Amino acid sequence: MGSNNAGSIRFAPKGRILVAPVGTAAPTDVTSAFTGWKELGYVSPDGCELTPSVDSAPIEVWQSATPVKYVVNAAACSLKFTLLQFDADGTALYFGTTWQQAKGENDTPITGVYRLDLASTPELAERAIAVEWGDANSTSRLIIPRGMISEREGLKLTRTNAQSLGVTYEALDSAGVLGYILSNAASIAPTA
């Protein structure tokens, strides 16, 4: 039976989101550096919403008014967040492509001008993603080795609000794993 423990209540006043090519090694603890990963910078005050889900269906039988078993139809893990930095890494993730040097006549580079091509038949870009969060007492890291942006919010261009790049990222199967969480929070240590 559980007990009341205010020390087990967690907040996420600090956090960051990082991306890397699929196959990039991720740290195996909560203190090592993310070598080869790019931090995406400022995220809206809403932070990052992590939603694991399992879709199951009941197996019903003639002899019982209640199901006798459930079968898993699908499993998913999604992240939803809004990037506030309109830079090369954030926009490349949002649009699913990369910036190139703009070129004029005869393929002459145009100094200081960059081009992001929006394909009529876009490639679906897979990325590894990591979310790190914590408070004064603990640090946690969610690592998703393989996934892609499945939804994009509209990019609003207004006079009074910062441009924001809202995305939903869906984990894809990676050798039977959607992702994993590392944490040094003492309150989650397994008990005998």
Side-chain angles (χ1 to χ4, degrees), residues 37-87:
W37 292 70
K38 292 183 178 181
E39 189 171 344
L40 292 176
Y42 285 121
V43 174
S44 73
D46 295 332
C48 180
E49 181 179 335
L50 162 64
T51 307
S53 62
V54 176
D55 176 32
S56 61
I59 304 297
E60 297 177 354
V61 297
W62 180 25
Q63 293 85 354
S64 177
T66 62
V68 295
K69 193 174 187 175
Y70 278 81
V71 63
V72 174
N73 290 332
C77 183
S78 66
L79 301 174
K80 188 173 183 176
F81 52 90
T82 302
L83 300 171
L84 294 181
Q85 290 185 205
F86 200 85
D87 58 16

Side-chain angles (χ1 to χ4, degrees), residues 129-165:
I129 199 163
V131 179
E132 180 180 81
W133 71 94
D135 56 24
N137 300 310
S138 69
T139 300
S140 297
R141 288 177 169 174
L142 166 68
I143 311 292
I144 298 179
R146 182 173 167 254
M148 58 183 286
I149 300 299
S150 63
E151 188 177 330
R152 293 161 178 85
E153 293 179 7
L155 173 59
K156 295 179 185 174
L157 306 174
T158 67
R159 181 179 58 82
T160 57
N161 294 319
Q163 295 173 15
S164 60
L165 306 169

